[in-house]
Amino acid sequence: MVFTGNFYRMKNDKLKAAERIKKLRELISDYRYHYHVLDESVMSEAAADSLKHELTQLEDQYPDLITPDSPTQRVAGEPISGFRTIGHRIPMLSLNDVFNQIELEAWIKRIKKFLPPSVRLEYFMDLKMDGFAAALVYEDGILTSAVTRGDGRVGEDVTANVRTIESVPLRLRKAAGYEKFLKGRTEIRGEIVMYKKDFSRLNESRAASGQPLFANPRNTAAGTIRQLNPNLVAERPLHFHSYDILRDDPGEVVTNNFAYKAIRELGLQANSETKLAKDSKDILDFANQWEEKRAKLPFNTDGLVIKVNDRLLYARLGVVGKAPRGAAAYKYPAEQATTKVKDIFISIGRTGSATPVAILEPVLVAGSTVQMATLHNESEVKRKDIRVGDTVIIHKAGDIIPEVIEPLLRLRTGTEKEFTMPLDCPECSTRLVKLKADEAVWRCPNNSCPSRVWKRIQHYASKAALDIEGLGEKNVIALLNSGLINDTADIYELKKEDLLGLDRFAEISATKLVNAIQSQKTPPLARFLYGLGIRHVGVQTAVDLANRFKRLDTLGNATFNDLREVEGVGDIVAESILFWFEDDDNQRILAKFRSLGVWPQDVKTVGGKLSGKRFVVTGSLESMSREEAAERIRALGGTFQSSLGKDTDYLVVGANVGANKLARAEKFGTHVIHEKQLLGLLN
Ligand code: IVH
């Protein structure tokens, strides 16, 4: 046989894969041991899933490398000892996941095929709690047993422990119209959850007494309920949130909506954040609405549970594998994943900050592909010991810039390269400096550094500043490269004919951009101030400064003490503002703006009618966006707050406000008003 170079390459690839598989298996097994046995966390579940995914892919590629002890070969269901087991009369099923609109609609289409076309389906939605499932059995209204889900057919008898949970009544409540549930067998299923705040408190006290920390609230709840000592369980605050009620005669509970009502009437807790939906749009609206708001819930949730509301139809739809066909879990995308660092480069920001950024092998996190992640600064890279070639855990939530949490040291091969901070700016070769010796951030001090210039112009044109459409990153760079502009003020001199000379513009786009720029010659002072890109002057500080000083010239002449009098302006911000106005380059730009007829409007509202009043807007408004509401409130002297606090005067409620918010508002004595009333105040 003749071996070609190709053969050796393939053999080499396989050897590398075998090496990687071995390390991945060790790491995943270690994760499982810590998670399931020690109730400790070595990484998030999402990161471990990401590693499992990589392992599965490698095993798919080299099936002969699969071994029976690989984590991919595990059958679900953990054996537990120490408790008596009890069989479930009706299996406790799991749910199939859907992750997006397409999968959701495919599920709806699938179930409709099993039902007559005339059936109009209605869906019942609840938050999917991240807890530990259990079934409570009441005989003639008295709690007789509590059983964990186990493998779905048989679970552990945890009655003694569940009896210590305050929200589990030992006897069902008598309620008019619900008497029949107190006769015979009533089974109530739900999730045992530990609230986030209780979990943090518990971990804080464990840290204080030197005990290992718990991984997350779900594991802690599970670990607690499987304690053999009920006294210990009683010390840990757990809650039972019910989601199902079963009777021998299923006809007694006709809808899932009714099931929740019955549960509450009988004295158990069920989530109030439920809703009925008629189609995928309603479901997606509900899901989107909770995606952000869920952070404020007392418990963790990673999605929704959607069930066909009519329980007869739900039963008719049957079971596929281990999950009911008539229900699905709509899961929010995982916010963590693992990937490899391909390189580390230095990004120079608008204010000169030199930030190390990791270039990553593209990976899907929280619904979008991530290719870069900030490493913050040199000391962070050193502290976390992130090297080029490392497999790292990355985190991304919503719009937040992805960041590298940690490298997985056990996956290192020895070929990883340590990072060294360059001495000079990679864009303009100026020596990097630290403004203060103890600062973590290195900066490029050159105001004309190309990277700083284009980021400054892009910032000036950004939505929260001058909002000039068509002046994004690519166009700004093209304009700078062509020499048509050199600084922010130059954009006002651009002519349509100039733009037409560039590849990126045609008649319409050129006209639009020039008009967009010209329409922003006398912007509101706050926006202009924010657009100048003064370090530490964010949107709110810009508004506060504008309201206080009214004119740009007055602000430019303000002393340190004048500045310090503004709410939210501390020593650092005040210094930064003074520094900006003292800089010759900045004075030159201001003079150029003025000579081009570009100058912010003076603030005229002397003690606006909302002055001193603080507002929070929750839910979506019909007549305006949140940003618009904020701007209009501020224009009248009011303050727009992002979260409800003791000092909030008005809570403006839009569509779908949660009961929690309203309760808090009542506690704080905040006036709750609707959009109409807000409009009344604004007009
Ligand atoms: S309804 C077929 N409603 O999710 C079981 N389950 O992945 C459907 N869960 O074992 C039950 N929150 O423990 C339902 N609001 C909720 C839930 C919920 C969490 C759990 C439940 C179930 C698991 C399925």
Side-chain angles (χ1 to χ4, degrees), residues 412-429:
R412 280 200 177 147
T413 59
T415 55
E416 295 73 18
K417 278 197 222 85
E418 269 183 65
F419 165 76
T420 37
M421 189 76 194
L423 295 174
D424 299 333
C425 170
E427 304 285 341
C428 67
S429 305

Side-chain angles (χ1 to χ4, degrees), residues 93-95 126-129 133 149 191 243 260 305 307 324:
L93 300 171
S94 46
L95 290 168
D126 188 8
L127 304 169
K128 187 172 191 308
M129 294 157 283
R149 180 172 175 271
E191 204 78 353
Y243 53 66
Y260 272 55
V305 174
K307 296 186 269 197

Side-chain angles (χ1 to χ4, degrees), residues 465-537:
L466 281 271
D467 193 13
I468 301 173
E469 210 178 317
L471 215 46
E473 172 178 337
K474 289 195 175 130
N475 279 350
V476 172
I477 292 178
L479 290 168
L480 283 165
N481 285 345
S482 67
L484 284 172
I485 61 171
N486 290 309
D487 60 38
T488 317
D490 287 345
I491 62 170
Y492 290 96
E493 289 193 288
L494 285 171
K495 309 251 166 348
K496 187 178 85 178
E497 297 68 38
D498 300 333
L499 299 181
L500 287 175
L502 304 179
D503 285 348
R504 297 188 60 80
F505 293 93
E507 184 70 30
I508 294 179
S509 52
T511 313
K512 265 193 173 165
L513 180 56
V514 171
N515 289 345
I517 294 171
Q518 292 304 317
S519 72
Q520 291 298 334
K521 288 181 85 169
T522 52
L525 177 56
R527 279 178 173 268
F528 187 76
L529 263 181
Y530 173 70
L532 291 177
I534 305 170
R535 256 182 92 202
H536 304 301
V537 176

Side-chain angles (χ1 to χ4, degrees), residues 92 122 204 308 312 377 399 455 466 514 535 547 557 590 600 608:
M92 286 187 82
E122 192 181 36
E204 273 163 29
V308 167
L312 201 62
N377 56 54
D399 288 338
K455 284 182 183 156
L466 281 271
V514 171
R535 256 182 92 202
N547 285 342
N557 293 324
L590 286 181

Side-chain angles (χ1 to χ4, degrees), residues 387-402:
R387 302 181 185 182
V388 173
D390 267 338
T391 302
V392 290
I393 300 178
I394 59 165
H395 175 94
K396 177 179 185 283
D399 288 338
I400 300 168
I401 301 168

